[in-house]
Amino acid sequence: MARELGKTLIPPNVIKMLEERERAVDKARAAVGAGATRVELTGDVSGVQIDGMPAEPGDRTLSRETRIQLGGAMLIIRPPAELQSAETVLVNARDDLSAVLADHGVASVADARTHNEAARDAAANARTLEVKIAGMTPAVPLLGIAGGASTLKTFVAGLHESAEGEGSEEGPDLDALTAIAAEADSACESRGRR
């Protein structure tokens, strides 16, 4: 599991590209905000409509042509033409960022960074665990057992298959395994004394 998560690390060049696209969105958003027209409605707004909808008191930022119906009069607000271009840039920047985020299965640049931290930690934990397993599973030439994790996996799988083959639901015979381990320890100790 940790090894698989470790393989999902998002490459640094992709993180850099995500950060650049996020900055482009922020810059475009700032340009839209700077060029937008702000209006504030206060007091009794009954009968006032904005683009055909009943108005509510408060601030609004208008980035496109807006029609405000004031009784029998119509107030038309037209923000600068450059603002439409800035909005197009913002939409395109958001789309670019969203596409790269979707390609890598993350919701935001912050999620990508968090994902990478988790992937790095998982990869480091997997390497540490592999080193520990290798250290704990030395070769036993007397029994013809090679060292390492793959030998341990094969041995454990063999125990499971052996138990299944006997139709036993209880697992391997621990007494028999203990006796074999004791014999192996004795054999190793007696070889060590020579």
Side-chain angles (χ1 to χ4, degrees):
M1 181 82 154
R3 187 179 296 141
E4 294 306 312
L5 179 57
K7 291 178 184 176
T8 65
L9 189 72
I10 298 171
N13 62 326
V14 173
I15 296 290
K16 183 178 178 184
M17 180 176 40
L18 284 169
E19 289 169 343
E20 288 169 356
R21 293 198 178 175
E22 185 178 54
R23 281 191 297 276
V25 168
D26 291 342
K27 183 178 176 183
R29 187 179 295 123
V32 168
T37 302
R38 293 186 56 89
V39 295
E40 182 178 359
L41 294 175
T42 60
D44 182 11
V45 294
S46 59
V48 178
Q49 292 188 342
I50 299 177
D51 289 335
M53 301 297 294
E56 295 180 11
D59 284 356
R60 283 186 179 62
T61 301
L62 307 177
S63 58
R64 60 180 175 76
E65 183 176 293
T66 304
R67 297 174 181 269
I68 301 176
Q69 183 78 41
L70 303 165
M74 177 75 69
L75 173 64
I76 300 172
I77 300 173
R78 292 184 181 103
E82 304 85 45
L83 187 58
Q84 287 184 350
S85 173
E87 280 191 316
T88 301
V89 170
L90 176 58
V91 168
N92 290 338
R94 281 181 179 155
D95 289 348
D96 288 348
L97 177 60
S98 294
V100 178
L101 290 170
D103 287 346
H104 294 282
V106 290
S108 68
V109 177
D111 285 348
R113 288 186 196 112
T114 301
H115 172 83
N116 266 13
E117 287 176 22
R120 269 193 222 81
D121 289 347
N125 289 342
R127 285 190 299 272
T128 301
L129 188 58
E130 287 170 359
V131 168
K132 284 182 179 180
I133 289 172
M136 295 170 58
T137 55
V140 183
L142 179 67
L143 299 176
I145 299 174
S150 61
T151 303
L152 179 61
K153 285 181 199 175
T154 304
F155 177 73
V156 171
L159 291 176
H160 185 65
E161 287 172 8
S162 171
E164 285 178 352
E166 297 169 8
S168 169
E169 299 273 333
E170 299 172 14
D173 182 352
L174 293 180
D175 291 333
L177 288 175
T178 303
I180 291 170
E183 288 176 27
D185 284 343
S186 296
C188 286
E189 286 175 15
S190 63
R191 281 193 132 203
R193 287 187 216 133
R194 290 182 191 170

